[in-house]
């Protein structure tokens, strides 16, 4: 009942649930941030809520790959050395520190430093996942299960969409700065509304990819 493998499977499912559920909470908060009929203070409170909720999906994004790697290693579906596996866990812990530091320092000058590290590591992970997934599908190595290799590619796509979502709402920073300075008008409202519209369709695609990930993990079709 308490075998390490099944404990890790439970953790994997819980992380997956927090990722999807937290993302929906972020989506709901964004609706109110973009509403021009609300006061700046109210919209600011929804922004605070959004950031507090979003740290959970970000945590899940960091831990899911390494937990999944541990699981497939235990099942003999990936061929890596114990030293490399330990290195992956070390990187995951370090990355976890980075995203929490980015969250805690978001209103400080050092926040941008941690955010740049986070984005850089995401890009590196995307390239690693695409390379590993593609090579594994062609050669059945280092991942021998094709369904696992496809999951790596889908996960890379999720990370790419996640980076796009950040770009889609980048204009909100300018919008809040203008509102807090006392400015208002259709141009400023458009910074929020247009950003959310772009993010909304990307979010729908994002959730669709999560469903694909879940199906692959449960069905293991090939």
């Amino acid at each position: 009942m308490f075998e390490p493998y099944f404990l890790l499977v439970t953790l994997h499912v819980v992380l997956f649930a927090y990722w999807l559920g937290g993302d929906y909470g972020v989506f709901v908060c964004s609706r109110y941030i973009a509403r021009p009929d609300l006061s700046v203070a109210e919209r600011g409170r929804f922004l605070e809520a959004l950031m507090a909720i979003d740290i959970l999906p970000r945590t899940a994004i960091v831990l899911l790959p390494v937990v999944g790697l541990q699981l497939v290693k235990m099942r003999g579906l990936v061929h890596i050395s114990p030293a490399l596996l330990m290195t992956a866990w070390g990187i995951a812990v370090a990355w976890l520190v980075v995203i929490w530091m980015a969250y805690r320092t978001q209103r400080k000058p050092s926040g941008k430093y941690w955010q740049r590290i986070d984005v850089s590591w995401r890009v590196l992970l995307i390239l690693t996942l695409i390379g590993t997934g593609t090579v594994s599908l062609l050669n059945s190595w280092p991942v021998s299960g094709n369904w696992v290799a496809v999951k790596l590619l889908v996960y890379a796509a999720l990370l790419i969409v996640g980076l796009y979502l950040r770009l889609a709402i980048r204009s909100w920073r300018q919008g809040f700065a203008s509102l807090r300075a006392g400015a208002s008008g259709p141009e400023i409202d458009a910074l929020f509304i247009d950003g959310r519209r772009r993010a909304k369709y990307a979010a729908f695609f994002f959730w669709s990819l999560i469903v694909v990930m879940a199906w692959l993990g449960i069905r293991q079709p090939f």
Side-chain angles (χ1 to χ4, degrees):
M1 181 177 180
F2 295 105
E3 294 179 13
Y5 178 82
F6 290 102
L7 289 175
L8 283 172
V9 169
T10 302
L11 176 60
H12 198 64
V13 172
V14 170
L15 289 170
F16 199 82
Y18 271 107
W19 185 11
L20 183 56
D23 268 341
Y24 183 70
V26 169
F27 180 78
V28 171
C29 287
S30 71
R31 179 189 307 161
Y32 294 96
I33 293 171
R35 280 180 53 176
D37 60 310
L38 297 180
S39 68
V40 179
E42 286 181 286
R43 295 164 81 173
R45 283 192 289 270
F46 278 109
L47 179 62
E48 292 290 339
L50 182 150
M51 297 303 297
I53 295 170
D54 192 45
I55 191 62
L56 292 179
R58 293 190 184 199
T59 298
I61 284 172
V62 171
L63 293 179
L64 273 168
V66 71
V67 172
L69 179 63
Q70 182 72 56
L71 286 171
V72 294
K73 172 64 175 176
M74 294 171 76
R75 290 186 57 180
L77 296 175
V78 64
H79 309 288
I80 59 172
S81 66
L84 187 57
L85 183 61
M86 289 301 298
T87 300
W89 275 103
I91 292 173
V93 171
W95 189 6
L96 201 59
V97 171
V98 168
I99 65 166
W100 275 90
M101 287 300 298
Y103 170 66
R104 294 177 63 86
T105 61
Q106 56 187 306
R107 295 190 180 280
K108 300 178 181 179
S110 59
K112 292 183 178 180
Y113 167 76
W114 294 108
Q115 290 168 15
R116 283 196 295 269
I117 295 177
D118 179 30
V119 171
S120 298
W121 285 13
R122 285 170 187 262
V123 171
L124 181 60
L125 180 57
I126 288 168
L127 296 176
T128 301
L129 290 171
I130 292 175
T132 304
T134 302
V135 170
S136 297
L137 284 175
L138 295 174
N139 303 298
S140 297
W141 184 93
V143 176
S144 57
N146 284 344
W147 66 273
V148 179
V150 174
K151 280 190 73 174
L152 296 182
L153 297 176
V154 176
Y155 200 86
L158 281 164
L159 292 175
I160 292 171
V161 176
L163 290 177
Y164 171 79
L165 285 168
R166 290 191 181 194
L167 292 174
I169 62 172
R170 178 179 287 183
S171 58
W172 286 9
R173 185 184 300 273
Q174 178 186 347
F176 270 108
S178 299
L179 290 173
R180 287 167 179 154
S184 61
E187 297 83 4
I188 296 175
D189 293 340
L191 294 174
F192 293 96
I193 296 171
D194 292 345
R196 186 179 185 277
R197 184 176 63 250
R198 291 191 295 270
K200 178 176 68 174
Y201 295 111
F204 293 156
F205 180 56
F206 189 87
W207 296 334
S208 299
L209 289 175
I210 290 180
V211 172
V212 172
M213 284 277 289
W215 181 80
L216 286 169
I218 295 170
R219 186 70 179 84
Q220 301 176 16
F222 38 75

